[in-house]
Amino acid sequence: MSILSVCEPIELVLAKVLCEPGEPTRHVYFPKDGFISLVARTDGGAGVEVGMVGREGMLGAQLVLGVTTAPLHGLVQGAGAAWRITARDFRKELLRSAPLQRSLHRYVYVLMAQLASSAACLRFHQVGPRLARWLLMSQDRAHADHFHVTHEFLAYMLGVRRVGITTAASALQRGGLIEYHRGEVSVLDRHGLEEAACSCYAADSKGYADILG
């Protein structure tokens, strides 16, 4: 029996919080055309995005490791459809399906690599290449050349000041790579944006292709 047969279809609502660090995991989410940001937050409330989940993965991967509490803040970044299953039913399906276990073990590996890559990217790469990487990752998961995002949200996701985002986005726009107006981003030159992005994007993409196919 497919795990989807015990899932329910839902709509991911933009900016909705799906999980909080340290709280019990109640549901697992499999995005179809929406996507979710994984955010690490400090005691003061500041945060930075360390991962992103689209149709290639799931929110609630800690359950695959037998851990019931969420490690990160899960925030809907792109509205869209998803499948949802209760944590209890998910664990039942995981126990009864060896192929599901193998598939999700590979995904957990890829997710761990993405988290590590994001930490290194935050430390060593400048805002412009990081912004290009973020836009490419979002485009991959939105499955569209156009999506909504504000400078304030980008600053929060990348852990920088808003002025840094404004400067970096303006440079990408002057280069003809994107068009940005009132929170609406359009990717005009995908190849150029890939060249402007830091090496983390290509490394992450290769990891997904090699491990998840």
Side-chain angles (χ1 to χ4, degrees), residues 30-106:
F30 295 94
K32 294 169 62 180
D33 52 19
F35 51 110
I36 302 163
S37 287
L38 303 177
V39 180
R41 302 178 71 178
T42 65
D43 292 340
V48 63
E49 184 184 75
V50 294
M52 197 182 292
V53 178
R55 70 168 60 177
E56 81 290 341
M58 61 179 283
L59 180 68
Q62 65 275 2
L63 291 176
V64 179
L65 304 176
V67 180
T68 59
T69 55
L72 296 165
H73 182 80
L75 177 71
V76 176
Q77 179 184 310
W83 294 103
R84 183 175 73 177
I85 182 175
T86 66
R88 180 180 179 181
D89 286 343
F90 174 78
R91 288 194 294 266
K92 288 181 179 178
E93 293 301 314
L94 195 62
L95 286 173
R96 65 166 55 113
S97 174
L100 179 63
Q101 291 175 30
R102 289 193 294 270
S103 177
L104 292 181
H105 285 163
R106 290 195 295 271

Side-chain angles (χ1 to χ4, degrees), residues 47-204:
V48 63
E49 184 184 75
V50 294
M52 197 182 292
V53 178
R55 70 168 60 177
E56 81 290 341
M58 61 179 283
L59 180 68
Q62 65 275 2
L63 291 176
V64 179
L65 304 176
V67 180
T68 59
T69 55
L72 296 165
H73 182 80
L75 177 71
V76 176
Q77 179 184 310
W83 294 103
R84 183 175 73 177
I85 182 175
T86 66
R88 180 180 179 181
D89 286 343
F90 174 78
R91 288 194 294 266
K92 288 181 179 178
E93 293 301 314
L94 195 62
L95 286 173
R96 65 166 55 113
S97 174
L100 179 63
Q101 291 175 30
R102 289 193 294 270
S103 177
L104 292 181
H105 285 163
R106 290 195 295 271
Y107 172 66
V108 169
Y109 172 86
V110 168
L111 181 61
M112 290 171 61
Q114 184 189 152
L115 297 176
S117 175
S118 293
C121 188
L122 176 65
R123 172 64 178 84
F124 295 109
H125 293 155
Q126 296 182 345
V127 176
R130 288 174 55 212
L131 175 59
R133 175 197 182 215
W134 189 94
L135 292 171
L136 288 166
M137 291 176 67
S138 296
Q139 184 188 24
D140 290 344
R141 289 158 178 81
H143 307 285
D145 296 334
H146 179 88
F147 44 92
H148 178 81
V149 63
T150 65
H151 278 197
E152 288 82 3
F153 186 77
L154 283 170
Y156 177 66
M157 288 295 100
L158 298 182
V160 298
R161 295 172 59 194
R162 187 182 184 280
V163 65
I165 294 298
T166 300
T167 301
S170 296
L172 294 177
Q173 187 160 242
R174 287 195 304 272
L177 307 183
I178 67 169
E179 184 175 64
Y180 183 88
H181 182 66
R182 294 185 178 180
E184 300 298 326
V185 176
S186 295
V187 176
L188 303 179
D189 182 352
R190 167 83 187 193
H191 179 69
L193 199 59
E194 289 177 350
E195 290 188 337
C198 61
S199 58
C200 299
Y201 176 74
D204 285 348

